[in-house]
Amino acid sequence: MEKIALLFPGQGSQYVGMGKSFYDQYSIAKQTYEEASDVAGVDLAKLCFEGSLSELNQNENMQPALLATNVAAFRVYMEEVGIRPQFCAGHSMGEYSALVCSGAMTFSDAVRITKLRGAMMQIHIDRGTGSMTIMDGIDASIVEQLCEQYSGEQGVAVVSCYNSPTQAAVSGHQYVLEEIEAAVLDADGQVTPLMSSAPIHSSLMAEDAERLGQELAKYSYNMFKWPVLSNVIGQPYGDVERIPGLLTDQMVKPVQWTRILQYLERFGVTLAIEMGPKNVLNKLTKTNCPDINSLCFGEKAERQKLISMFQSDGKKKKGVPTVITKCLAIAVATPNQNWDEAEYQQGVVQRYKRIQAIQEQVENAGDKPSKEQMIEALELLKGIFETKKLPVKERNQWMNHIIDDTGHHYELAEYLVHEAVGVK
């Protein structure tokens, strides 16, 4: 059975006409654009399909427009395919799309936040504070050295995105960027300055990060339906309380995309599906992790390939969460506070493999998990929580989440009472 990660792109994937095939064919996509337009106060469908590129590239327009396009693609995916992912991740502002689609952030809140985020970035663009450039065909460690070499009194530049071992983005003052670009070209690398780009993911955005953090603190967040990987740490958020802090840090710290892809590979992801207007992140997936099959749902031919692939296999179509699959997802979604490698291997990795084995038994039998299998998986998850030193309150929240999302209140009521886990 495929182990799926959904990937959401950020700036650089936008173009005039993006999302129109979804909008014209699916009512859910049209409703998504209308919902976002009402919140943003801008006709995002008209902007995406009929506006000029310069108008679309205005960050206060582009960010909510791209968010709407990503979320529309996800909603069409769930309608047409319906297979729930094991993980979600978004590159830079694409992380907001991942959080929305995981249920952790409401769509309307994300529209408001990305519009503000875009407006703050546009100020830097209008002032000429700095910008961002993609460096290709050169080792990221060399780019780091060049940033250190050319930064000084005249300005600073830093690696702002680690996209692959041979692709990095650099953000900073324009003068310093030009010096680094020239050095990269001399080393036979390639440079691609990003149009309409602020020096995001660098210290030049520190004041904006503080303002964004204050805004993020005003909102409430929900429990994840599946793990979302943070750009800053390259691992799942775990606790929703970390969302404001990590999104604030994202403004001034580099995107750890290579780490994110390595994490997905480590936990057995076999299929990465890009939920955006065109194939940007899947190219990076193929570069970083060639063994992971990578497709773009926004491209019509690949979308049809995906739909046909899942429709041809009844076991895959309309995947429904079970106690076993939720235990697998939560086992990797929760943060680890135990740095003893031997204990981690025994208490987390081995237990995770045992839950995987139970899932394989269920799949081979072609049936739903038995009560005994569900209880064994929950016991293994409890052991993982204990090894990771997860607070008791958070353990109970996760257990409640499993029961709520799978509807096994009756079958597991006796077990839950015995384990003193409250059921809402």
Side-chain angles (χ1 to χ4, degrees):
M1 188 172 182
E2 297 282 10
K3 201 166 189 179
I4 298 170
L6 301 183
L7 307 180
F8 298 84
Q11 182 179 354
S13 60
Q14 74 274 11
Y15 64 92
V16 174
M18 67 177 184
K20 193 171 189 307
S21 63
F22 288 128
Y23 185 92
D24 290 343
Q25 187 175 353
Y26 298 97
S27 60
I28 187 67
K30 185 175 182 180
Q31 292 165 10
T32 300
Y33 280 99
E34 290 172 350
E35 181 183 352
S37 296
D38 288 343
V39 177
V42 178
D43 187 339
L44 294 176
K46 185 175 181 180
L47 180 69
C48 288
F49 311 150
E50 303 172 18
S52 66
L53 183 59
S54 61
E55 187 180 16
L56 179 60
N57 279 340
Q58 291 285 316
N59 267 263
E60 65 266 37
N61 292 333
M62 181 269 290
Q63 294 203 24
L66 191 53
L67 173 75
T69 303
N70 289 350
V71 173
F74 169 79
R75 290 176 173 176
V76 171
Y77 165 84
M78 291 305 293
E79 187 174 281
E80 285 284 2
V81 178
I83 305 297
R84 296 161 66 96
Q86 276 69 42
F87 300 95
C88 276
H91 190 285
S92 190
M93 72 140 293
E95 190 165 353
Y96 290 85
S97 302
L99 289 167
V100 169
C101 296
S102 74
M105 181 183 290
T106 69
F107 183 39
S108 58
D109 286 351
V111 172
R112 294 184 184 94
I113 295 166
T114 54
K115 186 174 175 64
L116 172 64
R117 186 179 183 269
M120 291 191 295
M121 290 173 62
Q122 192 63 43
I123 290 172
H124 286 271
I125 295 167
D126 295 340
R127 290 177 178 172
T129 308
S131 61
M132 178 186 287
T133 298
I134 304 294
M135 312 292 183
D136 266 308
I138 185 168
D139 193 281
S141 62
I142 296 176
V143 178
E144 288 176 347
Q145 293 170 13
L146 291 172
C147 289
E148 292 178 9
Q149 178 181 341
Y150 288 102
S151 293
E153 293 182 1
Q154 74 276 25
V156 299
V158 295
V159 174
S160 50
C161 299
Y162 290 90
N163 291 335
S164 78
T166 57
Q167 185 187 100
V170 175
S171 294
H173 291 107
Q174 191 61 41
Y175 174 80
V176 185
L177 282 179
E178 290 172 359
E179 294 286 326
I180 296 170
E181 288 169 1
V184 169
L185 290 172
D186 287 342
D188 295 327
Q190 298 176 331
V191 300
T192 306
L194 291 182
M195 301 299 292
S196 303
S197 177
I200 188 71
H201 313 303
S202 78
S203 60
L204 299 183
M205 304 295 293
E207 291 185 7
D208 304 279
E210 183 177 354
R211 182 183 171 193
L212 180 66
Q214 293 170 354
E215 181 69 15
L216 289 163
K218 298 176 183 178
Y219 297 91
S220 58
Y221 304 94
N222 309 308
M223 189 166 281
F224 296 99
K225 293 180 181 178
W226 42 74
V228 175
L229 279 65
S230 159
N231 282 203
V232 174
I233 59 176
Q235 297 180 19
Y237 275 84
D239 192 338
V240 296
E241 293 179 2
R242 304 182 74 188
I243 290 175
L246 286 173
L247 287 179
T248 300
D249 287 346
Q250 194 219 64
M251 292 284 280
V252 293
K253 293 185 178 181
V255 172
Q256 299 289 350
W257 196 249
T258 298
R259 288 187 190 176
I260 284 173
L261 292 175
Q262 290 171 345
Y263 187 97
L264 296 177
E265 186 174 48
R266 177 185 175 190
F267 279 92
V269 167
T270 57
L271 175 62
I273 307 174
E274 183 164 357
M275 289 288 140
K278 63 181 180 180
N279 195 330
V280 175
L281 297 181
N282 282 339
K283 293 178 181 178
L284 295 178
T285 304
K286 291 172 183 176
T287 299
N288 284 279
C289 307
D291 290 337
I292 296 179
N293 187 22
S294 186
L295 296 169
C296 178
F297 198 70
E299 295 190 354
K300 187 174 181 179
E302 295 193 358
R303 179 163 70 250
Q304 291 303 319
K305 181 178 178 180
L306 278 164
I307 292 171
S308 299
M309 180 172 69
F310 287 110
Q311 283 179 337
S312 65
D313 190 335
K315 291 182 181 178
K316 293 177 180 178
K317 181 64 178 173
K318 299 296 179 188
V320 176
T322 69
V323 168
I324 315 301
T325 58
K326 293 297 295 182
C327 285
L328 284 170
I330 293 166
V332 296
T334 46
N336 176 46
Q337 302 298 329
N338 185 349
W339 309 114
D340 185 307
E341 183 61 26
E343 287 185 12
Y344 186 86
Q345 285 293 324
Q346 185 67 30
V348 177
V349 176
Q350 293 303 316
R351 286 189 173 109
Y352 181 84
K353 289 181 178 179
R354 175 55 194 154
I355 301 174
Q356 281 185 314
I358 296 172
Q359 176 60 18
E360 288 176 6
Q361 292 171 5
V362 173
E363 291 172 9
N364 291 336
D367 202 356
K368 296 179 181 179
S370 66
K371 178 179 177 180
E372 291 73 21
Q373 287 172 321
M374 289 190 285
I375 290 175
E376 182 182 358
L378 289 169
E379 282 293 303
L380 290 163
L381 184 62
K382 277 179 53 187
I384 290 173
F385 287 164
E386 291 168 4
T387 303
K388 286 187 170 185
K389 300 182 179 179
L390 202 67
V392 173
K393 179 182 177 181
E394 191 171 339
R395 299 181 199 182
N396 288 346
Q397 287 176 337
W398 280 117
M399 288 293 186
N400 278 322
H401 176 60
I402 292 172
I403 305 307
D404 286 343
D405 208 27
T406 58
H408 287 291
H409 295 81
Y410 178 77
E411 295 96 323
L412 298 174
E414 185 179 345
Y415 168 78
L416 292 168
V417 170
H418 177 71
E419 296 301 320
V421 177
V423 180
K424 292 180 285 184

